[in-house]
Every structure is written in C-alpha cells, then in structure tokens.
Amino acid sequence: MGCTKWGMFSGLVVVVVVVVACMVSFGVALTDPRDVAAMNSLFLSLNFPPLLGWVPVGGDPCGEEWQGVSCVFFNITALKLNGMNLGGALDDELALFESIIEIDLSNNHIGGNIPSNLPLTLRSFSLAGNQFNGSIPDTLSSLTLLSYLSLNNNHLNGGIPDAFQQMTSLTHLDLSGNNLSGQLPPSLGNLSSLSSLHLRNNKLIGVLDVLQDLPLQDLNVENNLFSGPIPAKLLSIPNFRKDGNPFNTTIIPPPPLALPPSPAMPPSSAQTPEKKGRGPPASETLKAESSRPLFTTNRAILIGLSVVAVVIILGVCVLMSTCFRRRQVKEDAERQGEGACRGHIDKPSNKSSLQQNSRGKVQKESIVKLQDEFQLDNRKMETSPKLQDDQGLDLTRMSAWSRKNTDHEKDMNFMHLHPPPPPPPCLPVDKVIVNPVVPAEVYTRSSSTKILKSSSSISVFTIATLQQFTDSFSEENFVGEGTLGSVYKAVLPDGQLLAVKKMNNMATRQQTDEEFVDLVSTISRIRHANIVELVGYCNEHGQRLLVYEYYEMGTLHDALHFDEKIHKKLSWDARIRLALGAARALQYLHEVCQPPIVHRNFKSSNILLDEKLAACVSDCGLATLQSSGSASRLSGRLLSAYGYGAPEFELGTYTCKSDVYSFGVVMLELLTGRKSYDRSRSRGEQSLVRWAIPRLHDIDSLSGMVDPSLNGAYPVKSLSRFADIISRCVQWEPEFRPAMSEVVQDLLHMI
C-alpha cells in the first residue's frame, strides 16, 4: 500500500513538472503583469464585453492582440474602444496601467463616476458620449502630460474643478453637453497651450475673462448662462461661437462734476514768526498750541459751509438758466411765428441777448462734453447687442431732450446727439452683421420708411432691389406659401442666397408703419443658433417684406414626408438632435427673452434644416401678426386643421404651453414619420395625436409605430424616453405640460 501511495505521488509530481515545462516552453507572456492585471480588472468592470481575446483572469493582451489594445514591446500604450456598445463602469484600477498613453472609450454606454485615480502617463483621454454622472474629479491636476481631454455628452454635474494649474500641455478640452454649472475656474488661465475649448450646452455662469490670454483658435461657449462683456481678445478668435448666452455690457457712467476748489487758508497771525529774542515764554507757546485744534475745527466748518453754499448757488443758477432758456426758446418761436405772419421777425431785447450770450459759452461746453461721453458710449453700444443702464438713467428721455434742443437751437451750433438703440426685448447673443448687403443709399431712398435705430445689425431694402434679386418675384424663385405671406428665394450679386417673405395684406393691414418697424426691431434682436436670423426688411409703397437667411436643405416637413434623399439621412440620433435644437429655440423664446415670446405657429414646416441637418426655427416673433383680426382666425383654423393646435387654442387662448403642445406633435412626426394630419389614411389614423397617444406607453405598440425607414436602428430605452417626453408635451391641460427647459434636459440625457 505504501508503494501504491508513493507511485501516485511520483505520478503527480511528473504531471506538475510537465505542465510547468509546457508553460515555460510555450506560454511565456509578453505583456507586463501589471498591465495584465489592469486589463482583467477593466474586463470585469465593463460587465464582460464580447471583445476578441479578452479574458477575466490572466492572458497576454500584447502577445494575443486583444481587440482595441496597442502595445510597444511589453507594455500597453493605447486602448481604443470607440463605439463598441460597452456598458458597466470604470474603477480606480485604471491607474495600474504602467505606460498607457491613450484611452478612448467614447460613444459607449459606460456609466458611474469618472475614476479619481488615472494613469499619470496619459496624453489623450476621451470618455465622450457615455452615461457618466457625478462631478469631474479634481485629481485631473495630476495628469501633467495630458494634451487631449474629452468628457462631452455625458451627465456630469457640479462645477469645473480648479485643477488645471499644472496641465500646461493640454491643447484640446471638451466638456460640452453636460449639466456643469458655476463659474470658470481661475486655473483655466494656466492652460498656456490650449487651442480648442468647447463648453457648449451647460449651465455655466459668470464672465469669460479667465480665457482672454489663452492661445485659443476654437472656442465654443454656446447655450450657457455667461454674462458680462465679452473680452475684446476673444472676439479675434478665428472660430468663436457664443450664441445662446445672455451677454451684456454696461454703460460707463459720466464722470462726476468737479467741485470748485476750496478757498486758500489765510495765514494765521499766531503762526507769524517773531523777531529773535522777542518770542513768548514756553508756557504761552504751549497754551497757543493747545488752542489750535479749536481754531482748525472752526475753519473746517466755515470751509464746508462755503462749499455747500457755492454748490447750492451753482445748482440754482443752472436750474434758472435752463428754465429761462426754455422760456426764451418758446418766446422766440412765438415771435418768429408772429413775425412771419407780419412779414418780419422781431429782434430780441438787449437783456435777452446779454443773458443768452452769458450762458452760451458754459452751455456749449457742457453739451460738447456730454456729446463726447455719448460718442464713447455709442461706440461701445455698436459692438454690443444689449444695453444695461446700471445708473438708472432715462436714456430715451435724454435722447429726446437732445433732439429737441438740436431742432430748435441750430444757431447755437450744437452737435447732434444720436439716441442709443432701444433695449432689446430679450437677452440676445453677440452677433452683429457688419457688412450690409445693400449700398448705403438704400437706407435713405424712401422718406416714407422709418430706418431702424439698430441699422448696424439689419439691412433696409427697397422694392426695386428685392425685385432685382428675386427676378421680379418669379415663379422659379417661389419657395412656399404660409399664413402670413409668400416666400421667394433671392440671389444677391455676390451669390449669397436670402429668403424674402412677402407679407400679405391680411396680416399687416391693421399695422401702422411705426408698429411694423417696431416689430422688425424686436425680431432683429432674437438671436439664437437654432432660430432663423432676420437679415433685413422693406417697408415701401405699401409693401412689407422680411428678409431672412436661406436654407437650401428645406424644411423638416419636406424631409420627413417628401424628400427621400434627406429622409434616409435622418437616423435616430439625428432625429434626437433635431428635436433638441427645436427645443432649445423654444426655450430661448419662452425663458430667456423678456418678456417671453410665444411662437404661436410652431410646426415642422417652420423648422428649417442647415447643411448639417440642424434645426433652425423660423417665423419667430410674428405672433402679433397672427393674432390680429381675421389673420388670427385663419392661422388658428389652419394650425388646428393640420393637427398642431393645442386644445385651448379653440377657446381663443394661446400661451407658451401651447407651443409645448405643438412641439410634442413635431416630436411625434420625428418618431413615426407620419404627417400630423393625413386625410389619405383611415379615419382613426388621420389625426396623429389621437392615434398615437394610446400607444405611447405600451412598448410593443410603441415599437410598431416607429418610422419604418429606421429599420429598427434605435435603442429601446431611448425610444421609451422619447415617447415619455411626447406624452408629457401633448397633455390636454396646459399646466401639466413641462417647461421647455425640462424638455431640453431630458433630450440632452438621450444624446
């Protein structure tokens, strides 16, 4: 029995020796064991993804050429797993990589927090397009070799950490499409190599001063809450996008009036030196010195009273001078009128002439000084779309005062004070057209047309010019017909394309020229990346036309229902982005503009597409035309007939929540590919909303109503979220519909 046990033991030893020999001979791993341990840990944290070669324990990533792994000798240097449909999360075991330079896990479904421990050798790190949440770890400061960092399109929140002090090699930073808030950290100013910075689609606040000394060539801060004046250095960046922020500038207050110098203090007899040997005794000297404070206090009181008296006298003189001058101007005007009737003009009395001459020099100097200050302010206001009167000055009243004095007192040779443009109705984006598309003489050609005060940002066209650009509004240039008028394509001499909306009489006949120009002024200050921009207008010979940017890709309605070439490009992600762009436009109108602007005619045919298939909403700010008289009844009937009208619209009420309902209908079009109202279908399927609402909460029915052209290429979870947004938007009661800011956030989470 002992021999038997010894034999079994000997056999086992032989087997072990053979296995070890085989491992030594054939299984020598090439990869650094620490990198192997990091790969095994990553495989577990990503929930065992089906990647070629990957195993949870051991293995040789470099020798066996695991999918997405790049090596140099025995070390893993790059991990590229972009768009691999990965899930799970990341843990701190990433720091085990010894020599890794690049990690690209973008466009997956990885969630959780960003690990606080990362490989110090990283130079390129991308987690874009995932489901990461929480805050950005401040341990990024340890990645001193990093040159590329992309964390965009996740669900990160909180502030940007002040952790960039040592990251002087960073050239590209993208934090777009998150929920980041707060101000920009001061350490961003240390990124001496940064050439590209993207911060769009967040909730960041404050000013951009910390960025002004960086060598940026590409800066995108769109759709945040940045305010304050834009540093002049940033405006010279070749690719600077800033739409969707409430930027503003302040008016520099005029310097205070200088007080007259106080009278010189007369020398005191007590301080006059006496002859040598005749001075008072020491006791008298101390007594005199003890009495000086009382004397000094009395003197200060006298000086203060004298200054106050001088100021009061000057104020009374200025007030009397102003009142007397106004009375004199009125009397002169009356005498001139009477003299004109009698064939002559009475001369002013000698007393009046003396008083006029005594005031002339002082008043002229004051007006010239005031003019210089206004010219300085106007130069600043020409580069800023928003005026902010921090000092509480009534600029409109001051401008009217200056115009009145200029008209009635030309003989005093006063300089004309141009009134500043009116304050914008909403918080605009810094975007000013500096090259008008028509020559200067067009601006003064028609005396019946009132020129906009903000002529630096909008062009005024004549009928003759627009006829030339549209080939006399020919049928070949006809684009479409709307409730407010016809749209024509205009081709400028330099090849630029514009869209000319020729307003019909039903929409504008109840508006005066003054009201129409005020409407144009309001529309011209609606500036957003997802809103069609007004380029100019025409108000001549009873004709009223609006000139907009032109979009060759047409409307969303045509793309969904008529243009098969564009329809094929509308993938699921593209439709989400279209919905997000349109939602951002309505959010800007409803929640950024003050007072809020209701669109009133939101539908897929009023959503234009640019060359990148981004949504640009048209007809913004025209609700006053649609709500007037017969135009209101017509637009109301059409909106309801086409399936976009909210239930309360039949009762004559229309609010921002009515726009939300119409937005929900557009989302249904994007989901199903069906028209909002289709008479060619059976009676139960003609109204898209009525047909779709019962199916939105059943996953099988929901999958069956998706646009067939998508061929099932959409995530089921994303489809469910999309349907949930639609369901909330098309609620019967307006108060149950969400605000557009909520819709924007929900759509952002889907990207």
Side-chain angles (χ1 to χ4, degrees):
M1 183 174 181
C3 294
T4 304
K5 289 183 179 180
W6 174 253
M8 293 176 61
F9 179 76
S10 300
L12 181 61
V13 170
V14 172
V15 171
V16 171
V17 170
V18 171
V19 171
V20 171
C22 293
M23 292 177 62
V24 172
S25 302
F26 305 104
V28 177
L30 297 177
T31 310
D32 188 304
R34 289 166 294 189
D35 287 348
V36 174
M39 289 295 297
N40 295 154
S41 176
L42 181 62
F43 185 69
L44 295 175
S45 64
L46 294 180
N47 295 335
F48 305 97
L51 298 174
L52 295 179
W54 289 50
V55 293
V57 179
D60 185 9
C62 295
E64 298 171 357
E65 298 183 354
W66 288 14
Q67 185 177 0
V69 177
S70 298
C71 300
V72 174
F73 299 112
F74 308 119
N75 294 108
I76 296 176
T77 57
L79 194 61
K80 301 177 182 179
L81 298 171
N82 176 31
M84 294 291 183
N85 200 29
L86 304 177
L90 299 180
D91 55 27
D92 290 339
E93 302 299 322
L94 278 179
L96 294 177
F97 284 104
E98 286 291 311
S99 305
I100 195 164
I101 296 175
E102 179 182 0
I103 294 180
D104 185 359
L105 299 174
S106 59
N107 301 318
N108 287 291
H109 307 288
I110 307 172
N113 295 329
I114 298 176
S116 56
N117 292 327
L118 295 169
L120 301 181
T121 55
L122 274 178
R123 296 183 182 179
S124 178
F125 187 38
S126 178
L127 300 179
N130 279 283
Q131 305 292 325
F132 288 100
N133 50 43
S135 59
I136 300 175
D138 54 10
T139 52
L140 289 176
S141 59
S142 61
L143 305 180
T144 57
L145 302 178
L146 197 64
S147 62
Y148 183 95
L149 177 60
S150 182
L151 304 177
N152 55 293
N153 295 328
N154 282 284
H155 307 312
L156 301 175
N157 51 49
I160 301 176
D162 193 15
F164 301 95
Q165 291 85 350
Q166 307 299 323
M167 302 176 68
T168 55
S169 300
L170 194 64
T171 60
H172 176 92
L173 177 60
D174 193 345
L175 303 177
S176 305
N178 287 288
N179 296 317
L180 300 176
S181 57
Q183 300 185 8
L184 298 182
S187 61
L188 278 178
N190 296 349
L191 300 178
S192 55
S193 302
L194 193 66
S195 61
S196 177
L197 176 61
H198 288 191
L199 300 173
R200 68 182 184 277
N201 300 341
N202 281 291
K203 300 176 182 177
L204 298 170
I205 63 174
V207 296
L208 302 178
D209 294 355
V210 69
L211 306 177
Q212 60 182 342
D213 294 324
L214 300 180
L216 290 169
Q217 298 296 314
D218 181 15
L219 176 60
N220 190 334
V221 296
E222 291 180 332
N223 302 321
N224 279 283
L225 300 174
F226 289 117
S227 59
I230 301 176
K233 294 181 180 179
L234 298 185
L235 297 176
S236 62
I237 294 177
N239 189 13
F240 181 26
R241 287 162 287 179
K242 54 190 178 300
D243 294 351
N245 287 278
F247 287 117
N248 59 65
T249 185
T250 56
I251 299 175
I252 301 176
L257 295 176
L259 295 176
S262 58
M265 296 174 58
S268 173
S269 58
Q271 297 174 346
T272 304
E274 297 289 340
K275 293 182 180 180
K276 188 175 182 180
R278 297 276 180 104
S283 60
E284 293 181 8
T285 303
L286 293 174
K287 183 177 181 181
E289 290 177 354
S290 64
S291 65
R292 287 179 185 174
L294 179 60
F295 182 78
T296 303
T297 303
N298 292 336
R299 183 186 303 166
I301 294 175
L302 291 175
I303 293 173
L305 291 176
S306 63
V307 171
V308 172
V310 170
V311 173
I312 293 175
I313 292 172
L314 287 176
V316 172
C317 291
V318 172
L319 181 61
M320 293 178 62
S321 173
T322 303
C323 295
F324 187 86
R325 186 167 64 84
R326 292 180 179 177
R327 188 192 313 166
Q328 185 65 32
V329 170
K330 183 177 181 180
E331 291 175 357
D332 290 346
E334 292 176 354
R335 283 196 297 271
Q336 290 175 4
E338 294 173 359
C341 294
R342 295 192 301 267
H344 67 279
I345 300 176
D346 296 335
K347 295 182 179 180
S349 62
N350 293 334
K351 183 178 180 180
S352 299
S353 299
L354 291 175
Q355 292 176 346
Q356 185 76 9
N357 292 333
S358 65
R359 297 191 309 268
K361 185 175 182 181
V362 176
Q363 291 175 341
K364 185 173 182 179
E365 292 176 353
S366 301
I367 295 298
V368 170
K369 181 178 180 181
L370 183 62
Q371 169 64 17
D372 292 339
E373 294 169 358
F374 266 88
Q375 286 179 342
L376 176 61
D377 288 344
N378 285 337
R379 285 195 298 271
K380 294 184 177 181
M381 287 184 285
E382 287 175 358
T383 61
S384 171
K386 180 179 177 182
L387 297 178
Q388 183 176 353
D389 187 12
D390 291 337
Q391 302 300 322
L393 298 177
D394 190 348
L395 298 180
T396 305
R397 189 178 304 168
M398 184 177 294
S399 302
W401 175 84
S402 64
R403 289 195 299 271
K404 179 179 178 182
N405 289 333
T406 303
D407 294 337
H408 289 288
E409 300 200 15
K410 294 180 181 179
D411 58 318
M412 297 184 68
N413 197 25
F414 287 160
M415 298 178 67
H416 180 65
L417 301 182
H418 293 281
C426 55
L427 304 178
V429 178
D430 261 344
K431 187 175 182 182
V432 178
I433 302 175
V434 295
N435 296 320
V437 295
V438 292
E441 59 266 22
V442 175
Y443 290 91
T444 57
R445 185 166 181 174
S446 175
S447 59
S448 63
T449 302
K450 177 183 175 182
I451 305 302
L452 284 180
K453 297 176 182 178
S454 57
S455 60
S456 62
S457 61
I458 190 170
S459 301
V460 183
F461 297 83
T462 63
I463 287 291
T465 304
L466 294 180
Q467 285 180 334
Q468 177 185 355
F469 294 162
T470 60
D471 193 16
S472 298
F473 300 100
S474 63
E475 190 69 21
E476 290 77 10
N477 288 325
F478 178 77
V479 176
E481 181 80 24
T483 57
L484 298 178
S486 305
V487 180
Y488 295 85
K489 179 174 68 174
V491 183
L492 274 60
D494 61 356
Q496 181 184 358
L497 299 179
L498 298 175
V500 179
K501 182 184 286 291
K502 193 174 183 181
M503 313 297 290
N504 57 40
N505 293 331
M506 181 182 299
T508 62
R509 65 184 177 185
Q510 296 183 357
Q511 267 197 334
T512 64
D513 287 346
E514 184 80 13
E515 291 172 339
F516 177 72
V517 173
D518 289 340
L519 174 66
V520 172
S521 180
T522 300
I523 300 173
S524 68
R525 276 179 281 274
I526 299 176
R527 301 292 177 87
H528 190 273
N530 298 111
I531 293 180
V532 179
E533 183 176 335
L534 181 70
V535 175
Y537 76 108
C538 175
N539 184 26
E540 192 178 50
H541 306 306
Q543 298 290 324
R544 292 173 178 174
L545 304 96
L546 299 176
V547 184
Y548 290 91
E549 295 175 308
Y550 185 81
Y551 290 80
E552 292 185 296
M553 301 296 287
T555 68
L556 176 60
H557 183 269
D558 292 339
L560 285 172
H561 310 302
F562 299 107
D563 195 326
E564 294 183 1
K565 183 177 180 181
I566 301 179
H567 194 160
K568 293 179 180 179
K569 299 179 180 179
L570 297 181
S571 63
W572 179 250
D573 289 339
R575 299 183 191 217
I576 296 177
R577 288 193 298 269
L578 280 169
L580 177 60
R584 284 193 177 281
L586 287 181
Q587 179 193 14
Y588 174 83
L589 296 175
H590 294 177
E591 303 176 28
V592 178
C593 292
Q594 295 298 328
I597 296 178
V598 180
H599 191 284
R600 194 183 170 90
N601 195 26
F602 189 85
K603 52 189 178 182
S604 60
S605 58
N606 278 335
I607 301 176
L608 305 182
L609 307 179
D610 66 7
E611 63 276 5
K612 296 181 180 179
L613 295 182
C616 295
V617 180
S618 66
D619 281 5
C620 297
L622 299 180
T624 55
L625 298 179
Q626 297 161 347
S627 60
S628 59
S630 56
S632 174
R633 293 189 293 272
L634 175 61
S635 62
R637 287 197 298 268
L638 289 176
L639 198 64
S640 298
Y642 287 118
Y644 295 98
E648 65 271 14
F649 199 64
E650 297 292 339
L651 303 177
T653 59
Y654 203 97
T655 65
C656 291
K657 290 302 182 70
S658 305
D659 281 346
V660 177
Y661 181 95
S662 300
F663 176 81
V665 180
V666 172
M667 286 189 67
L668 269 177
E669 287 186 83
L670 288 169
L671 172 67
T672 64
R674 296 189 176 203
K675 296 180 181 180
S676 57
Y677 191 87
D678 192 352
R679 294 183 180 275
S680 64
R681 296 184 179 272
S682 62
R683 187 175 182 86
E685 297 184 9
Q686 291 181 356
S687 173
L688 180 58
V689 174
R690 294 179 181 176
W691 171 77
I693 285 180
R695 295 170 170 79
L696 290 176
H697 301 290
D698 180 75
I699 190 61
D700 294 331
S701 299
L702 181 61
S703 300
M705 60 190 287
V706 177
D707 189 347
S709 66
L710 291 173
N711 295 320
Y714 53 84
V716 177
K717 186 176 180 180
S718 179
L719 175 65
S720 179
R721 289 182 177 179
F722 200 83
D724 180 68
I725 298 172
I726 296 173
S727 178
R728 290 187 291 124
C729 288
V730 296
Q731 291 289 324
W732 184 270
E733 298 294 337
E735 57 267 24
F736 294 123
R737 300 170 198 156
M740 288 310 302
S741 57
E742 298 179 25
V743 175
V744 168
Q745 291 303 316
D746 291 341
L747 289 170
L748 278 173
H749 292 162
M750 297 177 59
I751 295 180

